[in-house]
Amino acid sequence: MSEQVLPFYLVCDESASMHGEPLDAINSELPKIHQEIASNPIVADKARFSIIGFSDTAEVLLPLTDLGDVDHLPMLSSRGLTSYSAAFSLLRETITADIAELKQAGHTPFRPTVFFLTDGQPNDWGWEDDYDKLVSPGFSARPHILAFGFGDVEQQTLTRIATFRAFVAQAGVSPAQALTEFARQLTKSIVRSATLSASNPANAPQLVLPNDNVPGFTVLAADPV
């Protein structure tokens, strides 16, 4: 059956600096995200969710899927350095394939939304080239990107990445607190977007994204394009 689909991607830093509390926190939240979405048939039918982890390389840990069709979400693990190029290159490739597959199945996919999470600066030069290809107007499936950062990441890096909003954890907020709130905002966005879209099936799906008031985070202005 053809349906309107909202694709969501979690792109998460798995570099060595994420070892311990940061990844423990996000891994503890993933089952909650799964439960919240999979247990709501309306949300599960409308939203599709994917996880990409990156360090020296990037890997699709969960292909874009209806969370009602999977038993559990994969866990993230720390490894290597921080290659933004790997993340953005794989993300563009993955989105391209996913959108084509959804269309082939007779669905109507809408512009993807990416929640990008990092705790540090990239270790690779030239990552901006791969990023620019991802958000170029010439890429019809270019995503909306929300960037969340903590630890050593610089504010200007987050604002360079975000196409919608960038958030940086406030001083004194622990990684666990920051990542718990990040997961809560991601879940709320998916649930509210899917629910609102399902209530107005004759109209284009509506995105409900985090506003300026995210506890523990300061909103940053994204660079215009």
Side-chain angles (χ1 to χ4, degrees):
M1 178 180 177
S2 176
E3 59 187 15
Q4 296 176 328
V5 173
L6 293 166
F8 291 87
Y9 294 82
L10 166 59
V11 180
C12 188
D13 190 341
E14 289 187 299
S15 61
S17 59
M18 291 284 287
H19 178 72
E21 185 182 2
L23 283 186
D24 289 346
I26 196 67
N27 280 332
S28 71
E29 292 298 320
L30 287 175
K32 300 175 187 177
I33 294 172
H34 178 244
Q35 173 64 23
E36 183 75 20
I37 297 171
S39 64
N40 187 328
I42 293 176
V43 175
D45 285 347
K46 185 68 65 174
R48 297 292 185 274
F49 186 65
S50 175
I51 300 175
I52 293 177
F54 70 94
S55 58
D56 299 286
T57 59
E59 179 182 3
V60 177
L61 301 175
L62 178 73
L64 192 69
T65 188
D66 176 341
L67 288 186
D69 294 336
V70 298
D71 294 328
H72 61 274
L73 299 186
M75 295 291 100
L76 298 152
S77 57
S78 59
R79 53 190 176 87
L81 300 176
T82 308
S83 173
Y84 281 11
S85 288
F88 295 132
S89 177
L90 180 61
L91 180 58
R92 190 183 194 282
E93 176 185 320
T94 303
I95 287 174
T96 299
D98 288 343
I99 295 299
E101 184 175 338
L102 287 169
K103 289 182 176 179
Q104 188 174 15
H107 301 311
T108 302
F110 282 75
R111 192 172 305 285
T113 299
V114 173
F115 284 75
F116 183 86
L117 177 66
T118 185
D119 78 329
Q121 288 296 103
N123 298 120
D124 52 339
W125 295 99
W127 62 267
E128 293 95 339
D129 292 339
D130 287 300
Y131 170 81
D132 289 341
K133 292 175 184 176
L134 175 66
V135 299
S136 167
F139 180 36
S140 61
R142 64 190 182 278
H144 303 289
I145 302 177
L146 292 92
F148 286 78
F150 64 100
D152 294 331
V153 68
E154 296 177 1
Q155 292 189 8
Q156 59 265 37
T157 300
L158 295 174
T159 57
R160 174 74 167 91
I161 293 170
T163 65
F164 179 72
R165 278 196 179 93
F167 301 85
V168 63
Q170 297 167 356
V173 174
S174 72
Q177 291 172 310
L179 291 169
T180 298
E181 183 59 36
F182 166 79
R184 193 173 75 88
Q185 293 298 326
L186 185 154
T187 306
K188 284 172 57 179
S189 178
I190 295 175
V191 170
R192 291 179 178 178
S193 297
T195 302
L196 179 62
S197 299
S199 67
N200 297 283
N203 300 321
Q206 301 294 306
L207 281 175
V208 182
L209 300 176
N211 58 28
D212 291 357
N213 186 26
V214 176
F217 284 88
T218 297
V219 67
L220 309 173
D223 288 341
V225 295

